[in-house]
Amino acid sequence: MKKEVMLFGLFFLLIVGVSFSAHALDYEQENINISAAYTCLEEHMATQGNRITAPEEILYLSLLFDDYRHLIDETISSEENCWPSGNCDLKTTSLYVLAKEGCEDISKPTEWLMDQRLTTTDLNWFLEIDGSEEMNCEVSYGTNSYPIIIQEDKKVTKNAGPCLVAENNYWYDISKSCYDETFEMTCDKNFITTLLFQEKDSLTYHVLKDSHHARDGETTTEKIESYCFGTNGECDYEGSLWAATLLKSLGEEVDIYLPYLIDGSDNPENEEYFPSVFLYFLTNDLDYRTTILEEFRGSYWDVSGDKYYDTGLAVWPFYDEFPEEKDLAKEWLLGEQDELGCWNSGNIVDTSWLLYTIWPDKSAEGKCEGNKEENKTCEIDSDCNDYYCEDWTMISETCLGNECVLLETCENKTICETDSDCAGEHVCN
């Protein structure tokens, strides 16, 4: 019996060892293949140099390599700070900012994006007031207040002034002329309020997730805030996906763009943009994660007709996640490389995109290198942020490697210890 147990244990260890070795071998081969992909791009750049003039190639190479960030500056519209010059659009300007972010000042192209923000006009909006029992409530907006009753079956029975029309029994239709109003609700029982929205001519209703709870006698506030990004006065769905995702990566509030983006994701015309990827970025909602994985074709994703772009896009939000579909897609891609290491017959855009979205680790080595200077002194009112200076507060700093250590400086500009008796500015040394 002991011999059988011992043999089983040895067999188990052997299996584990073989599995571990196979995994290590695959990981090692993956590194070899990805190194080849970077080498393929580097050799292309070495032979073509500044003769690479295709704007799209320059843009995608700039996501990975510092040298190409300088080339894309030559194709930006200096008057509007958008990209490309003469034909600015939201997606490519967002990619431009992604290429520059963390390396140089991005305030002007970001400002251009914000200038393209529009108030959505093609959504119908509704107000819902909900409770577990019949309630007497008061709705206030403008300078007037209106008493209403929410029945035990949750139905509303009469209008609440000219802005709130009780047409569908369970919530109020908000009149379009009142979309800029702020609505305040108070009830004599515990209650919840929220906004719903619906695209024109659609039967689908969407509920905003930020519902507001209140006890009896307390007040909730609801206000419609719904924006898109567009040009020439019209919303651009794909551009809005990219602009909102960029703003999210910069730490900006994006909830005000979600109604338009969520509603538009149901439109068949927008399927090719793979909206569930962006919405997973923006909301972290597992339903969108499931939708992404359901689109997997066994080895890759192909939503728009470009399986390389779509696969890179689909894997992008799973940088710190490891679904089986990701591993299968990587295995397929590693088998699709040409003899030089690139993808899609040496396609520079596809190769750059796949490395940026799936294998970005090496890209950090060359990113921002041109702006990294040892002991670079920044101007007053600027902050040393890793490799560059950006506007901040009254601090004079010096970049030393990647770190800044605040010390005090006396009026005679000699550097003192932090706790010493100095006054005035600070320096980073």
Side-chain angles (χ1 to χ4, degrees), residues 359-384:
W359 292 283
D361 293 346
K362 279 197 171 185
S363 65
E365 295 178 6
K367 190 86 180 289
C368 312
E369 193 66 28
N371 281 6
K372 181 179 178 181
E373 297 181 24
E374 294 291 325
N375 300 320
K376 175 182 176 182
T377 302
C378 305
E379 297 295 328
I380 298 293
D381 297 333
S382 65
D383 171 39
C384 175

PDB file of all heavy atoms in Angstrom, residues 359-384:
ATOM      1  N   TRP A 359       0.896  43.085 -25.747  1.00  0.00           N
ATOM      2  CA  TRP A 359       2.253  42.906 -25.219  1.00  0.00           C
ATOM      3  C   TRP A 359       2.936  44.258 -25.054  1.00  0.00           C
ATOM      4  O   TRP A 359       3.914  44.560 -25.729  1.00  0.00           O
ATOM      5  CB  TRP A 359       3.072  42.020 -26.162  1.00  0.00           C
ATOM      6  CG  TRP A 359       2.629  40.600 -26.214  1.00  0.00           C
ATOM      7  CD1 TRP A 359       2.872  39.625 -25.289  1.00  0.00           C
ATOM      8  CD2 TRP A 359       1.872  39.956 -27.261  1.00  0.00           C
ATOM      9  NE1 TRP A 359       2.320  38.433 -25.675  1.00  0.00           N
ATOM     10  CE2 TRP A 359       1.701  38.593 -26.888  1.00  0.00           C
ATOM     11  CE3 TRP A 359       1.335  40.398 -28.478  1.00  0.00           C
ATOM     12  CZ2 TRP A 359       1.010  37.688 -27.675  1.00  0.00           C
ATOM     13  CZ3 TRP A 359       0.648  39.493 -29.262  1.00  0.00           C
ATOM     14  CH2 TRP A 359       0.485  38.159 -28.868  1.00  0.00           C
ATOM     15  N   PRO A 360       2.418  45.113 -24.150  1.00  0.00           N
ATOM     16  CA  PRO A 360       2.934  46.482 -24.056  1.00  0.00           C
ATOM     17  C   PRO A 360       4.169  46.646 -23.183  1.00  0.00           C
ATOM     18  O   PRO A 360       4.718  47.731 -23.106  1.00  0.00           O
ATOM     19  CB  PRO A 360       1.764  47.243 -23.428  1.00  0.00           C
ATOM     20  CG  PRO A 360       1.142  46.215 -22.520  1.00  0.00           C
ATOM     21  CD  PRO A 360       1.274  44.899 -23.253  1.00  0.00           C
ATOM     22  N   ASP A 361       4.617  45.589 -22.499  1.00  0.00           N
ATOM     23  CA  ASP A 361       5.682  45.761 -21.509  1.00  0.00           C
ATOM     24  C   ASP A 361       6.943  46.370 -22.107  1.00  0.00           C
ATOM     25  O   ASP A 361       7.535  47.278 -21.541  1.00  0.00           O
ATOM     26  CB  ASP A 361       6.018  44.420 -20.861  1.00  0.00           C
ATOM     27  CG  ASP A 361       4.869  43.887 -20.015  1.00  0.00           C
ATOM     28  OD1 ASP A 361       3.943  44.660 -19.728  1.00  0.00           O
ATOM     29  OD2 ASP A 361       4.907  42.711 -19.657  1.00  0.00           O
ATOM     30  N   LYS A 362       7.357  45.853 -23.265  1.00  0.00           N
ATOM     31  CA  LYS A 362       8.579  46.361 -23.849  1.00  0.00           C
ATOM     32  C   LYS A 362       8.425  47.785 -24.352  1.00  0.00           C
ATOM     33  O   LYS A 362       9.404  48.520 -24.459  1.00  0.00           O
ATOM     34  CB  LYS A 362       9.031  45.466 -25.004  1.00  0.00           C
ATOM     35  CG  LYS A 362       9.777  44.223 -24.569  1.00  0.00           C
ATOM     36  CD  LYS A 362      10.523  43.628 -25.742  1.00  0.00           C
ATOM     37  CE  LYS A 362      11.452  42.525 -25.293  1.00  0.00           C
ATOM     38  NZ  LYS A 362      12.272  42.007 -26.404  1.00  0.00           N
ATOM     39  N   SER A 363       7.203  48.180 -24.683  1.00  0.00           N
ATOM     40  CA  SER A 363       7.013  49.512 -25.231  1.00  0.00           C
ATOM     41  C   SER A 363       7.423  50.585 -24.244  1.00  0.00           C
ATOM     42  O   SER A 363       7.803  51.683 -24.609  1.00  0.00           O
ATOM     43  CB  SER A 363       5.550  49.716 -25.632  1.00  0.00           C
ATOM     44  OG  SER A 363       4.704  49.677 -24.494  1.00  0.00           O
ATOM     45  N   ALA A 364       7.342  50.263 -22.933  1.00  0.00           N
ATOM     46  CA  ALA A 364       7.690  51.266 -21.922  1.00  0.00           C
ATOM     47  C   ALA A 364       9.167  51.636 -21.974  1.00  0.00           C
ATOM     48  O   ALA A 364       9.563  52.707 -21.547  1.00  0.00           O
ATOM     49  CB  ALA A 364       7.332  50.748 -20.537  1.00  0.00           C
ATOM     50  N   GLU A 365      10.004  50.732 -22.514  1.00  0.00           N
ATOM     51  CA  GLU A 365      11.432  51.006 -22.531  1.00  0.00           C
ATOM     52  C   GLU A 365      11.770  52.177 -23.443  1.00  0.00           C
ATOM     53  O   GLU A 365      12.665  52.949 -23.169  1.00  0.00           O
ATOM     54  CB  GLU A 365      12.190  49.744 -22.985  1.00  0.00           C
ATOM     55  CG  GLU A 365      12.056  48.578 -22.005  1.00  0.00           C
ATOM     56  CD  GLU A 365      12.765  47.339 -22.510  1.00  0.00           C
ATOM     57  OE1 GLU A 365      13.438  47.434 -23.551  1.00  0.00           O
ATOM     58  OE2 GLU A 365      12.643  46.288 -21.857  1.00  0.00           O
ATOM     59  N   GLY A 366      11.066  52.269 -24.577  1.00  0.00           N
ATOM     60  CA  GLY A 366      11.384  53.341 -25.508  1.00  0.00           C
ATOM     61  C   GLY A 366      10.474  54.535 -25.371  1.00  0.00           C
ATOM     62  O   GLY A 366      10.734  55.587 -25.930  1.00  0.00           O
ATOM     63  N   LYS A 367       9.380  54.378 -24.638  1.00  0.00           N
ATOM     64  CA  LYS A 367       8.403  55.446 -24.512  1.00  0.00           C
ATOM     65  C   LYS A 367       8.948  56.570 -23.653  1.00  0.00           C
ATOM     66  O   LYS A 367       9.451  56.353 -22.570  1.00  0.00           O
ATOM     67  CB  LYS A 367       7.116  54.883 -23.882  1.00  0.00           C
ATOM     68  CG  LYS A 367       5.939  55.835 -23.922  1.00  0.00           C
ATOM     69  CD  LYS A 367       5.199  55.721 -25.237  1.00  0.00           C
ATOM     70  CE  LYS A 367       4.015  56.688 -25.273  1.00  0.00           C
ATOM     71  NZ  LYS A 367       2.950  56.268 -24.395  1.00  0.00           N
ATOM     72  N   CYS A 368       8.867  57.786 -24.159  1.00  0.00           N
ATOM     73  CA  CYS A 368       9.225  59.000 -23.415  1.00  0.00           C
ATOM     74  C   CYS A 368      10.736  59.159 -23.235  1.00  0.00           C
ATOM     75  O   CYS A 368      11.160  60.046 -22.504  1.00  0.00           O
ATOM     76  CB  CYS A 368       8.582  59.047 -22.029  1.00  0.00           C
ATOM     77  SG  CYS A 368       6.833  58.684 -22.020  1.00  0.00           S
ATOM     78  N   GLU A 369      11.527  58.305 -23.857  1.00  0.00           N
ATOM     79  CA  GLU A 369      12.962  58.370 -23.614  1.00  0.00           C
ATOM     80  C   GLU A 369      13.531  59.725 -24.000  1.00  0.00           C
ATOM     81  O   GLU A 369      14.457  60.231 -23.386  1.00  0.00           O
ATOM     82  CB  GLU A 369      13.675  57.273 -24.408  1.00  0.00           C
ATOM     83  CG  GLU A 369      15.122  57.042 -23.995  1.00  0.00           C
ATOM     84  CD  GLU A 369      15.242  56.488 -22.587  1.00  0.00           C
ATOM     85  OE1 GLU A 369      14.310  55.809 -22.146  1.00  0.00           O
ATOM     86  OE2 GLU A 369      16.256  56.772 -21.926  1.00  0.00           O
ATOM     87  N   GLY A 370      12.949  60.316 -25.032  1.00  0.00           N
ATOM     88  CA  GLY A 370      13.476  61.597 -25.491  1.00  0.00           C
ATOM     89  C   GLY A 370      13.308  62.718 -24.503  1.00  0.00           C
ATOM     90  O   GLY A 370      14.003  63.721 -24.555  1.00  0.00           O
ATOM     91  N   ASN A 371      12.368  62.574 -23.577  1.00  0.00           N
ATOM     92  CA  ASN A 371      12.132  63.624 -22.597  1.00  0.00           C
ATOM     93  C   ASN A 371      12.754  63.332 -21.250  1.00  0.00           C
ATOM     94  O   ASN A 371      12.626  64.109 -20.323  1.00  0.00           O
ATOM     95  CB  ASN A 371      10.616  63.817 -22.389  1.00  0.00           C
ATOM     96  CG  ASN A 371      10.019  64.638 -23.500  1.00  0.00           C
ATOM     97  OD1 ASN A 371      10.705  64.965 -24.458  1.00  0.00           O
ATOM     98  ND2 ASN A 371       8.755  64.961 -23.364  1.00  0.00           N
ATOM     99  N   LYS A 372      13.394  62.190 -21.136  1.00  0.00           N
ATOM    100  CA  LYS A 372      13.970  61.816 -19.851  1.00  0.00           C
ATOM    101  C   LYS A 372      15.366  62.413 -19.743  1.00  0.00           C
ATOM    102  O   LYS A 372      16.254  62.073 -20.506  1.00  0.00           O
ATOM    103  CB  LYS A 372      14.031  60.296 -19.724  1.00  0.00           C
ATOM    104  CG  LYS A 372      14.601  59.827 -18.399  1.00  0.00           C
ATOM    105  CD  LYS A 372      14.599  58.322 -18.332  1.00  0.00           C
ATOM    106  CE  LYS A 372      15.206  57.829 -17.039  1.00  0.00           C
ATOM    107  NZ  LYS A 372      15.225  56.365 -16.966  1.00  0.00           N
ATOM    108  N   GLU A 373      15.567  63.309 -18.799  1.00  0.00           N
ATOM    109  CA  GLU A 373      16.855  63.943 -18.617  1.00  0.00           C
ATOM    110  C   GLU A 373      17.229  63.907 -17.149  1.00  0.00           C
ATOM    111  O   GLU A 373      16.443  64.279 -16.282  1.00  0.00           O
ATOM    112  CB  GLU A 373      16.813  65.409 -19.080  1.00  0.00           C
ATOM    113  CG  GLU A 373      16.514  65.553 -20.573  1.00  0.00           C
ATOM    114  CD  GLU A 373      16.510  67.005 -20.983  1.00  0.00           C
ATOM    115  OE1 GLU A 373      17.159  67.824 -20.276  1.00  0.00           O
ATOM    116  OE2 GLU A 373      15.861  67.343 -21.980  1.00  0.00           O
ATOM    117  N   GLU A 374      18.437  63.444 -16.871  1.00  0.00           N
ATOM    118  CA  GLU A 374      18.902  63.435 -15.494  1.00  0.00           C
ATOM    119  C   GLU A 374      19.068  64.871 -15.008  1.00  0.00           C
ATOM    120  O   GLU A 374      19.615  65.730 -15.706  1.00  0.00           O
ATOM    121  CB  GLU A 374      20.244  62.704 -15.408  1.00  0.00           C
ATOM    122  CG  GLU A 374      20.163  61.219 -15.721  1.00  0.00           C
ATOM    123  CD  GLU A 374      19.421  60.463 -14.644  1.00  0.00           C
ATOM    124  OE1 GLU A 374      19.541  60.839 -13.459  1.00  0.00           O
ATOM    125  OE2 GLU A 374      18.717  59.498 -14.981  1.00  0.00           O
ATOM    126  N   ASN A 375      18.597  65.139 -13.781  1.00  0.00           N
ATOM    127  CA  ASN A 375      18.768  66.438 -13.145  1.00  0.00           C
ATOM    128  C   ASN A 375      18.192  67.582 -13.979  1.00  0.00           C
ATOM    129  O   ASN A 375      18.736  68.672 -14.011  1.00  0.00           O
ATOM    130  CB  ASN A 375      20.250  66.708 -12.861  1.00  0.00           C
ATOM    131  CG  ASN A 375      20.828  65.659 -11.945  1.00  0.00           C
ATOM    132  OD1 ASN A 375      20.178  65.234 -10.997  1.00  0.00           O
ATOM    133  ND2 ASN A 375      22.022  65.211 -12.246  1.00  0.00           N
ATOM    134  N   LYS A 376      17.109  67.325 -14.684  1.00  0.00           N
ATOM    135  CA  LYS A 376      16.478  68.381 -15.460  1.00  0.00           C
ATOM    136  C   LYS A 376      15.688  69.294 -14.530  1.00  0.00           C
ATOM    137  O   LYS A 376      14.817  68.846 -13.798  1.00  0.00           O
ATOM    138  CB  LYS A 376      15.537  67.778 -16.503  1.00  0.00           C
ATOM    139  CG  LYS A 376      14.747  68.823 -17.292  1.00  0.00           C
ATOM    140  CD  LYS A 376      13.815  68.144 -18.270  1.00  0.00           C
ATOM    141  CE  LYS A 376      12.960  69.175 -18.972  1.00  0.00           C
ATOM    142  NZ  LYS A 376      12.011  68.530 -19.891  1.00  0.00           N
ATOM    143  N   THR A 377      16.003  70.593 -14.539  1.00  0.00           N
ATOM    144  CA  THR A 377      15.323  71.540 -13.666  1.00  0.00           C
ATOM    145  C   THR A 377      14.058  72.030 -14.342  1.00  0.00           C
ATOM    146  O   THR A 377      14.073  72.422 -15.504  1.00  0.00           O
ATOM    147  CB  THR A 377      16.232  72.737 -13.350  1.00  0.00           C
ATOM    148  OG1 THR A 377      17.422  72.252 -12.735  1.00  0.00           O
ATOM    149  CG2 THR A 377      15.527  73.712 -12.408  1.00  0.00           C
ATOM    150  N   CYS A 378      12.935  71.988 -13.618  1.00  0.00           N
ATOM    151  CA  CYS A 378      11.667  72.447 -14.149  1.00  0.00           C
ATOM    152  C   CYS A 378      11.444  73.902 -13.766  1.00  0.00           C
ATOM    153  O   CYS A 378      12.037  74.421 -12.828  1.00  0.00           O
ATOM    154  CB  CYS A 378      10.520  71.590 -13.607  1.00  0.00           C
ATOM    155  SG  CYS A 378      10.757  69.831 -13.914  1.00  0.00           S
ATOM    156  N   GLU A 379      10.553  74.540 -14.495  1.00  0.00           N
ATOM    157  CA  GLU A 379      10.229  75.929 -14.202  1.00  0.00           C
ATOM    158  C   GLU A 379       9.397  76.021 -12.919  1.00  0.00           C
ATOM    159  O   GLU A 379       8.769  75.074 -12.489  1.00  0.00           O
ATOM    160  CB  GLU A 379       9.428  76.526 -15.356  1.00  0.00           C
ATOM    161  CG  GLU A 379      10.181  76.566 -16.676  1.00  0.00           C
ATOM    162  CD  GLU A 379      11.375  77.491 -16.611  1.00  0.00           C
ATOM    163  OE1 GLU A 379      11.306  78.496 -15.876  1.00  0.00           O
ATOM    164  OE2 GLU A 379      12.381  77.193 -17.278  1.00  0.00           O
ATOM    165  N   ILE A 380       9.378  77.223 -12.323  1.00  0.00           N
ATOM    166  CA  ILE A 380       8.472  77.485 -11.202  1.00  0.00           C
ATOM    167  C   ILE A 380       7.039  77.218 -11.686  1.00  0.00           C
ATOM    168  O   ILE A 380       6.719  77.404 -12.855  1.00  0.00           O
ATOM    169  CB  ILE A 380       8.600  78.948 -10.733  1.00  0.00           C
ATOM    170  CG1 ILE A 380      10.024  79.210 -10.245  1.00  0.00           C
ATOM    171  CG2 ILE A 380       7.594  79.260  -9.638  1.00  0.00           C
ATOM    172  CD1 ILE A 380      10.390  78.470  -8.990  1.00  0.00           C
ATOM    173  N   ASP A 381       6.180  76.794 -10.780  1.00  0.00           N
ATOM    174  CA  ASP A 381       4.793  76.439 -11.090  1.00  0.00           C
ATOM    175  C   ASP A 381       4.704  75.150 -11.885  1.00  0.00           C
ATOM    176  O   ASP A 381       3.745  74.912 -12.589  1.00  0.00           O
ATOM    177  CB  ASP A 381       4.061  77.534 -11.870  1.00  0.00           C
ATOM    178  CG  ASP A 381       3.955  78.811 -11.078  1.00  0.00           C
ATOM    179  OD1 ASP A 381       3.956  78.742  -9.842  1.00  0.00           O
ATOM    180  OD2 ASP A 381       3.873  79.855 -11.705  1.00  0.00           O
ATOM    181  N   SER A 382       5.726  74.329 -11.847  1.00  0.00           N
ATOM    182  CA  SER A 382       5.639  73.082 -12.590  1.00  0.00           C
ATOM    183  C   SER A 382       5.979  71.909 -11.700  1.00  0.00           C
ATOM    184  O   SER A 382       6.632  72.051 -10.665  1.00  0.00           O
ATOM    185  CB  SER A 382       6.543  73.104 -13.813  1.00  0.00           C
ATOM    186  OG  SER A 382       7.883  73.187 -13.405  1.00  0.00           O
ATOM    187  N   ASP A 383       5.544  70.767 -12.134  1.00  0.00           N
ATOM    188  CA  ASP A 383       5.727  69.565 -11.343  1.00  0.00           C
ATOM    189  C   ASP A 383       6.531  68.569 -12.149  1.00  0.00           C
ATOM    190  O   ASP A 383       6.288  68.372 -13.326  1.00  0.00           O
ATOM    191  CB  ASP A 383       4.346  68.965 -11.018  1.00  0.00           C
ATOM    192  CG  ASP A 383       4.464  67.589 -10.392  1.00  0.00           C
ATOM    193  OD1 ASP A 383       5.365  67.367  -9.588  1.00  0.00           O
ATOM    194  OD2 ASP A 383       3.621  66.751 -10.719  1.00  0.00           O
ATOM    195  N   CYS A 384       7.510  67.966 -11.525  1.00  0.00           N
ATOM    196  CA  CYS A 384       8.304  66.950 -12.200  1.00  0.00           C
ATOM    197  C   CYS A 384       7.571  65.626 -12.103  1.00  0.00           C
ATOM    198  O   CYS A 384       7.496  65.047 -11.040  1.00  0.00           O
ATOM    199  CB  CYS A 384       9.665  66.860 -11.538  1.00  0.00           C
ATOM    200  SG  CYS A 384      10.668  65.559 -12.178  1.00  0.00           S
TER     201      CYS A 384
END
